[in-house]
Amino acid sequence: MKIQVDMAARQGAGQSRFRNPDIRFMSEDAMKAFEDTASAGPSSGAAAERSGRPKTVFAALREEVFSPSLSFLMEAHNGLSAKIVEEAGFRGIWASGLTGSASLGLRDSNEASWTQVLDTLEYMADATSLPILVDGDTGYGNFNNVRRLVRKLCERGIAGVCIEDKLFPKTNSFIGEAQPLADIDEFCGRIKAGKDSQTDDDFVLVARIEALISGRGMEEALRRAEAYHAAGADAILIHSKKSTATEIFEFTERWANRSPVVIVPTMYYATSTDLFRQAGISTIIWANHLLRSSMTAMRETARRIFEDQSLREVEGRVASVRDIFALVGNAELEAAERRYLPGKAAPKAVVLAASRGDLGDLTRDQPKCMIDVRGQSLLQRLVSTLGDSGLRDVTVVRGYRKEAVAVPGIKTVDNDRFAETGEVFSLAQARKALDGEAVVAYGDVLFRRYILDGLMSSEGDIVVAVDGLSLSVKDPKKTVRDLVAADRPYSGSYLDDTPVHLKSMSESIPSAEVSGEWIGLARFSTQGSAWLRAEIDLIEAEGLLETADLPLLLTRLAAKHPVVVQYFTAHWLDVDTLSDLADARNFT
Ligand code: SPV
Ligand code: MG
């Protein structure tokens, strides 16, 4: 359902990008997301998530184009580059016609058919959660081709299209002079046909003006902008091939933001982004830089290997094979195999949540794991992260205020002697869950899912997650209980795959030997779990079950079996103090 929104009135006349009080169309969902974002600041894409309603890619692109702050779309030309754009932190993708063609070895002259473009887009949309604005060239024909294109784009979850006012087959804007332009009325027909064919209200159609490129001048560009806007284009892309942005700024000044303006500063790259921001530009497209940088890298590697007839110089300078596995999500496949393949028993998780924790009033009626962090308890957050990595069989060891431990779907066991016993005693209460692959976690840690996925895909029988750059390393005076001494320090190199092993873990490791801090997360293979159970039995037989803690247990295991240290840095926290709790509330 569409609602009419006076953007100028909503944003307040002073700060509106749309100085001309104009009527815009936004779906209710997009408007809500937009308002939440505007009031929560630029980092809040979480509006929809907070409301429990996933934001569509269509609404996400609309939000980028219509938000008052400057947005950026980064070029991608296939599934892998789309993933890299997302990994870098961008909020949207430009599916460039030039780079999409070039990556197929073709010219930017509609040599790839539009359905071949669509196929590539499907890979890209599958590979990323970011919204994609596709360079639809001229729309591949007349109004009728645009209609079919837009319907197919909506079907495949492509959030928007940009069409340019030239003729099919197109030629890249940076080739030649005075390329013929489409008749204005005919192009307006393409715009109307596109808008009438979208099957999602938030689909974005950008009309690209080539008048400056083809030497037809500013008046022509403005006349076209007015006509395309009136025909229903959501935004105007004003293109220029000058080396300075003078004509872009003249256009934005005179257009006065009657609708959002999109630019492609490939040729006027030296202009500062702040000037674009001051000019009220909506969106900058970095149009071809991933393809161009990969060409440089591929040439260098090919030449090196050709000359050396060896890989020695190259290995270590290129992404590791493991990096490829990580980028395409092999960890998820492994988790799915455990869930769906016969014979691959689902792994279990044991969460230790018996202790009270010392957070004053907050832990008067509930244990620390039940403290609320932005609408969900710490334990609920931990259980969902575990679930996302395929760990759905979760046993929580309760103790202090056990009746307050309530999270749907968990199993519980109790350590009723929590006040006078330690962690190994708690773990022993969950011995039954330690019969096969298992993860053990403290109940007060939050971590990004990739850390757990890393443990789950490790080949070690016992693997511990260690922050190689935590405060314990930087400031050995800070009291951290779970200090780790490993046989190799954290190297900081993504390419370094050499296995690292635990030597010992405790709060009193001499500072020179500290390699990091254990975050309270460990994985045991079926073999590892058997070793773990045997060690708990032994500790019990020695009369130490009440007093032993997990660092002691892991140190004893490390003396007998390889305990693999998996390093990472940041992206986790445990909640020991009120200031940790404040951090937890900002943790995403
Ligand atoms: C593209 O990336 O294909 C574009 C931008 O259309 S440009 O190459 O500048 O024309
Ligand atoms: Mg193009």
Side-chain angles (χ1 to χ4, degrees):
M1 175 189 158
K2 278 187 177 173
I3 51 171
Q4 287 191 330
V5 176
D6 181 330
M7 297 292 284
R10 277 185 182 269
Q11 292 171 31
Q15 23 156 282
S16 168
R17 175 138 30 88
F18 302 97
R19 273 173 268 152
N20 182 346
D22 205 350
I23 303 293
R24 300 267 149 263
F25 289 94
M26 255 191 178
S27 71
E28 268 172 324
D29 276 3
M31 196 60 223
K32 177 78 175 59
F34 170 77
E35 286 175 329
D36 285 354
T37 302
S39 61
S43 66
S44 171
E49 280 159 45
R50 272 205 308 277
S51 67
R53 157 179 54 82
K55 181 166 58 182
T56 66
V57 285
F58 302 98
L61 180 62
R62 180 157 287 267
E63 194 177 317
E64 290 303 319
V65 171
F66 280 86
S67 69
S69 56
L70 180 60
S71 298
F72 303 93
L73 300 181
M74 182 73 212
E75 172 263 327
H77 46 275
N78 57 20
L80 191 78
S81 51
K83 281 182 185 291
I84 287 173
V85 172
E86 181 160 11
E87 190 183 56
F90 283 98
R91 293 158 64 114
I93 291 176
W94 168 246
S96 152
L98 170 66
T99 68
S101 309
S103 69
L104 299 171
L106 298 176
R107 290 163 286 213
D108 188 14
S109 305
N110 293 124
E111 291 185 337
S113 73
W114 75 274
T115 55
Q116 287 170 329
V117 172
L118 207 58
D119 286 345
T120 303
L121 288 171
E122 187 165 20
Y123 284 110
M124 291 171 64
D126 285 349
T128 176
S129 60
L130 296 184
I132 298 172
L133 175 67
V134 58
D135 175 358
D137 289 342
T138 58
Y140 309 103
N142 70 2
F143 78 92
N144 193 33
N145 304 86
V146 173
R147 289 199 298 189
R148 195 162 159 74
L149 172 69
V150 168
R151 278 201 302 271
K152 290 291 152 188
L153 292 176
C154 289
E155 274 173 22
R156 308 225 177 166
I158 306 303
V161 68
C162 173
I163 55 172
E164 62 197 51
D165 52 2
K166 295 200 307 213
L167 305 173
F168 181 89
K170 57 79 59 89
T171 303
N172 185 273
S173 303
F174 303 139
I175 295 175
E177 301 297 329
Q179 291 188 21
L181 298 187
D183 169 77
I184 294 186
D185 291 340
E186 186 275 325
F187 191 69
C188 285
R190 282 188 241 170
I191 293 169
K192 282 191 196 120
K195 288 306 288 177
D196 287 346
S197 305
Q198 66 188 41
T199 54
D200 191 294
D201 287 349
D202 291 323
F203 183 83
V204 173
L205 188 146
V206 179
R208 164 166 158 180
I209 296 170
E210 291 281 300
L212 302 179
I213 296 260
S214 66
R216 302 273 284 269
M218 189 59 66
E219 301 309 321
E220 177 74 11
L222 286 160
R223 190 162 44 248
R224 285 176 178 263
E226 202 66 69
Y228 303 163
H229 177 48
D234 294 296
I236 296 295
L237 189 160
I238 182 70
H239 206 11
S240 164
K241 59 178 178 180
K242 294 251 162 67
S243 60
T244 68
T246 322
E247 62 183 11
I248 293 291
F249 292 137
E250 187 187 339
F251 179 89
T252 51
E253 175 83 23
R254 294 183 58 187
W255 179 242
N257 264 328
R258 285 199 278 287
S259 69
V261 172
V262 181
I263 60 166
V264 186
T266 304
M267 292 301 172
Y268 46 98
Y269 59 86
T271 308
S272 109
T273 298
D274 265 346
L275 292 178
F276 297 136
R277 200 171 269 120
Q278 283 160 25
I281 281 161
S282 150
T283 304
I284 293 181
I285 292 175
W286 311 121
N288 44 45
H289 301 78
L290 291 196
L291 184 90
R292 286 163 63 189
S293 58
S294 66
M295 279 170 64
T296 309
M298 287 193 284
R299 281 203 175 110
E300 205 175 292
T301 304
R303 201 176 301 128
R304 188 76 275 151
I305 296 174
F306 180 75
E307 283 169 11
D308 294 354
Q309 297 192 352
S310 159
L311 299 176
R312 234 195 359 245
E313 278 303 308
V314 160
E315 191 57 49
R317 292 195 206 172
V318 295
S320 66
V321 171
R322 202 159 141 181
D323 195 0
I324 306 176
F325 295 155
L327 195 55
V328 298
N330 276 51
E332 188 281 335
L333 177 57
E334 280 168 34
E337 282 173 354
R338 280 190 286 269
R339 212 172 307 145
Y340 300 121
L341 277 186
K344 289 241 179 191
K348 296 176 180 159
V350 174
V351 175
L352 302 181
S355 68
R356 169 185 178 158
D358 191 10
L359 286 175
D361 271 1
L362 286 171
T363 48
R364 203 184 46 226
D365 300 324
Q366 59 184 10
K368 188 163 60 168
C369 69
M370 291 310 294
I371 291 179
D372 181 273
V373 175
R374 289 201 310 191
Q376 279 190 329
S377 65
L378 275 168
L379 184 60
Q380 172 69 65
R381 287 181 178 274
L382 175 59
V383 167
S384 13
T385 309
L386 292 167
D388 288 345
S389 291
L391 290 144
R392 293 177 208 286
D393 184 333
V394 180
T395 302
V396 176
V397 184
R398 308 183 301 181
Y400 177 74
R401 293 278 186 261
K402 64 182 179 189
E403 64 290 344
V405 176
V407 170
I410 59 169
K411 297 174 184 164
T412 55
V413 294
D414 297 334
N415 172 7
D416 289 323
R417 295 177 54 206
F418 62 89
E420 78 257 15
T421 60
E423 293 153 3
V424 177
F425 192 87
S426 282
L427 186 60
Q429 310 314 304
R431 245 185 285 216
K432 265 213 228 120
L434 304 172
D435 66 341
E437 186 179 9
V439 162
V440 175
Y442 287 147
D444 61 353
V445 287
L446 292 179
F447 48 83
R448 291 256 185 98
R449 181 184 154 185
Y450 80 89
I451 295 175
L452 179 55
D453 285 342
L455 292 198
M456 299 304 288
S457 57
S458 161
E459 280 167 17
D461 285 312
I462 305 177
V463 196
V464 291
V466 173
D467 185 344
L469 285 183
S470 82
L471 278 183
S472 60
V473 179
K474 287 190 273 187
D475 175 12
K477 288 190 291 294
K478 182 180 180 256
T479 349
V480 176
R481 217 194 38 150
D482 300 339
L483 295 176
V484 165
D487 61 3
R488 297 179 72 234
Y490 171 66
S491 76
S493 166
Y494 288 110
L495 302 165
D496 187 354
D497 289 348
T498 322
V500 182
H501 294 104
L502 180 73
K503 292 203 298 191
S504 64
M505 187 190 293
S506 84
E507 71 185 59
S508 55
I509 290 180
S511 62
E513 289 167 33
V514 171
S515 323
E517 177 180 4
W518 182 47
I519 73 163
L521 183 67
R523 173 191 156 265
F524 301 82
S525 68
T526 302
Q527 174 63 76
S529 287
W531 289 334
L532 177 64
R533 284 195 315 273
E535 201 57 39
I536 294 174
D537 291 346
L538 209 58
I539 286 176
E540 185 164 31
E542 290 169 26
L544 298 173
L545 194 63
E546 277 85 352
T547 52
D549 59 13
L550 286 190
L552 174 75
L553 175 60
L554 288 164
T555 303
R556 287 174 59 128
L557 283 165
K560 300 174 187 171
H561 315 285
V563 174
V564 174
V565 167
Q566 186 125 335
Y567 283 124
F568 59 91
T569 60
H571 299 152
W572 72 281
L573 52 85
D574 59 0
V575 178
D576 290 325
T577 61
L578 287 173
S579 120
D580 294 339
L581 187 61
D583 290 344
R585 289 184 169 140
N586 291 324
F587 188 84
T588 48

